[in-house]
C-alpha cells in the first residue's frame, strides 16, 4: 500500500493506526506512569514512546518513501524538510500533561500535509472513546461507540462559546479576550479544542501560548474541513506548515463561523 491511495481509503488506514496507538497508550494509562523530562523540560512517558514506535512503523508500511515528522522522532533541519511536498505529521500523545493528570483529555494526532496544508487528519481520544477524522473531499466526522456521524461548525449564537487550553492559559490570552463579546468558556486538553469547534459545540478557540506544528496539524484539518478557519496571530493569515526552520507555531485562532467577524470584535486586543 502507499500514500497515493484514494484519500477515503487512506483515512481508514490512518484511523486504524491511530486506534492501535491509542490501545498501546491505554495499556500504560492503566499502570503506574513513569515520567521523565525532555530537553525542553516537557514531560515524556512510555506511552509517548510506544505510540510513536507503532505509528512510525505502520505509516512506513503504507509508504516507506513518504517522510514523517513526529514530536518524538529525530530532529530534522529545515534544509532536509523544505523539499517535502507531502509528509506525515504526528503527535503520538498530545496532552501528555493531561495523561499524567489522568483527566482523559489526551489524543493521538496524525495528519497528512500537502504543500503546507493539512489534507487528512485523525484525532483519537482513547480514554474518552471518541475519534474525529477528516480528509479533503471526504468530509469531517466524529466516531463514537461504532457510530460515525458527519460534523460541521455552527453559526455563532448570540452568546458564543469559547474553548481554551486546560493547562496553558496565560495573561496574553486574557488580554486578547479583554474586548470579546459576552460568552461562555469551556476548557479542554490537547487537540480536542479544535474538535469542539469542528462539531459545533464551541465557536472560537484562541491560542496565544506556544504550540508546535505536530500539536495542530490533525486538529486543524478536522476543523477546516468541518467549516472552520484557522488563522495566525497577529496577521490573521492561514496557518501553514513546514515553511520555516522553527517548528513552533505563532499564536492562532480557530473560527467556527467565519462570517461572525471575530477580528473586528477583538481588534482592540489584536
Amino acid at each position: 500500500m502507499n500514500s497515493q491511495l484514494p484519500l477515503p481509503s487512506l483515512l481508514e488506514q490512518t484511523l486504524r493506526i491511530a486506534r492501535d496507538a491509542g490501545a498501546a497508550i491505554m495499556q500504560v494509562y492503566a499502570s503506574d506512569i513513569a515520567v521523565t523530562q525532555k530537553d525542553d523540560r516537557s514531560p515524556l512517558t512510555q506511552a509517548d514512546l510506544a505510540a510513536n514506535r507503532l505509528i512510525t512503523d505502520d505509516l512506513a508500511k503504507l509508504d516507506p518513501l513518504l517522510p514523517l515528522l513526529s514530536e518524538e522522532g529525530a530532529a530534522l533541519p529545515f534544509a532536509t524538510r523544505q523539499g517535502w511536498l507531502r509528509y506525515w505529521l504526528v503527535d503520538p500523545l498530545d496532552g501528555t500533561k493531561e495523561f499524567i493528570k489522568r483527566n482523559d483529555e489526551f489524543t493521538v494526532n496524525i495528519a497528512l500535509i500537502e504543500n503546507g496544508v493539512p489534507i487528512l487528519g485523525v484525532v483519537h481520544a482513547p480514554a474518552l472513546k471518541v475519534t474525529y477524522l477528516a480528509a479533503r473531499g471526504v468530509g469531517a466526522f466524529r466516531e463514537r461507540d461504532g457510530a460515525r456521524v458527519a460534523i460541521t461548525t455552527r453559526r455563532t449564537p448570540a452568546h458564543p462559546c469559547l474553548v481554551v487550553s486546560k493547562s496553558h492559559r496565560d495573561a496574553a490570552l486574557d488580554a486578547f479576550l479583554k474586548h470579546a463579546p459576552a460568552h461562555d468558556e469551556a476548557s479542554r486538553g490537547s487537540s480536542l479544542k479544535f474538535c469542539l469547534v469542528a462539531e459545533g459545540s464551541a465557536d472560537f478557540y484562541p491560542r496565544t501560548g506556544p504550540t508546535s506544528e505536530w500539536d495542530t496539524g490533525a486538529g486543524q484539518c478536522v476543523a477546516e474541513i468541518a467549516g472552520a478557519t484557522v488563522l495566525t496571530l497577529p496577521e490573521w493569515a492561514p496557518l501553514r506548515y513546514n515553511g520555516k526552520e522553527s517548528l513552533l507555531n505563532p499564536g492562532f485562532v480557530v473560527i467556527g463561523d467565519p462570517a461572525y467577524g471575530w477580528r473586528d470584535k477583538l481588534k482592540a486586543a489584536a
Side-chain angles (χ1 to χ4, degrees):
M1 288 182 289
N2 61 66
S3 63
Q4 297 305 315
L5 284 170
L7 280 179
S9 300
L10 193 58
L11 183 62
E12 297 305 320
Q13 294 290 340
T14 307
L15 172 61
R16 174 187 58 79
I17 293 169
R19 285 174 173 163
D20 289 347
I25 288 169
M26 292 305 291
Q27 288 183 353
V28 179
Y29 198 51
S31 63
D32 292 333
I33 301 173
V35 182
T36 59
Q37 283 192 337
K38 294 185 280 190
D39 290 343
D40 63 0
R41 295 191 174 184
S42 60
L44 179 69
T45 72
Q46 286 303 309
D48 296 81
L49 299 175
N52 188 67
R53 285 192 297 269
L54 188 153
I55 294 168
T56 300
D57 290 348
D58 283 6
L59 289 178
K61 293 174 185 175
L62 291 181
D63 186 343
L65 299 181
L66 192 65
L68 182 146
L69 183 63
S70 170
E71 179 176 15
E72 308 309 340
L76 296 171
F78 185 55
T80 299
R81 295 184 280 109
Q82 63 182 342
W84 293 357
L85 299 180
R86 207 179 211 226
Y87 67 98
W88 294 108
L89 182 62
V90 173
D91 190 343
L93 177 49
D94 182 27
T96 301
K97 290 182 179 179
E98 316 310 327
F99 178 83
I100 294 167
K101 294 174 184 175
R102 296 185 183 273
N103 69 14
D104 293 352
E105 294 182 8
F106 51 86
T107 59
V108 177
N109 298 346
I110 305 177
L112 182 64
I113 309 297
E114 185 174 87
N115 297 318
V117 177
I119 64 167
L120 179 153
V122 174
V123 177
H124 176 53
L128 298 175
K129 299 180 180 179
V130 62
T131 307
Y132 297 86
L133 60 157
R136 186 172 62 190
V138 179
F141 307 91
R142 181 185 64 238
E143 192 165 295
R144 180 187 285 124
D145 298 328
R148 181 178 298 186
V149 297
I151 57 173
T152 185
T153 59
R154 68 181 180 183
R155 183 175 180 179
T156 304
H159 197 82
C161 177
L162 276 60
V163 60
V164 298
S165 175
K166 179 158 284 189
S167 297
H168 299 280
R169 182 151 191 159
D170 56 16
L173 179 62
D174 291 332
F176 179 72
L177 295 177
K178 182 178 180 181
H179 300 281
H183 61 273
D184 295 324
E185 279 193 15
S187 64
R188 292 292 187 277
S190 68
S191 288
L192 292 169
K193 296 177 286 295
F194 283 95
C195 300
L196 260 63
V197 176
E199 69 180 6
S201 297
D203 302 291
F204 187 67
Y205 163 34
R207 184 62 181 251
T208 54
T211 60
S212 295
E213 293 188 3
W214 43 71
D215 294 317
T216 58
Q220 179 176 352
C221 181
V222 172
E224 288 186 335
I225 290 176
T229 57
V230 182
L231 304 174
T232 63
L233 297 174
E235 298 86 0
W236 296 74
L239 179 62
R240 293 294 180 255
Y241 292 82
N242 199 36
K244 60 189 188 308
E245 182 70 46
S246 173
L247 290 166
L248 293 176
N249 291 318
F252 62 85
V253 292
V254 182
I255 301 170
D257 176 8
Y260 182 68
W262 280 103
R263 185 174 188 178
D264 290 338
K265 290 176 170 61
L266 292 167
K267 62 186 177 182

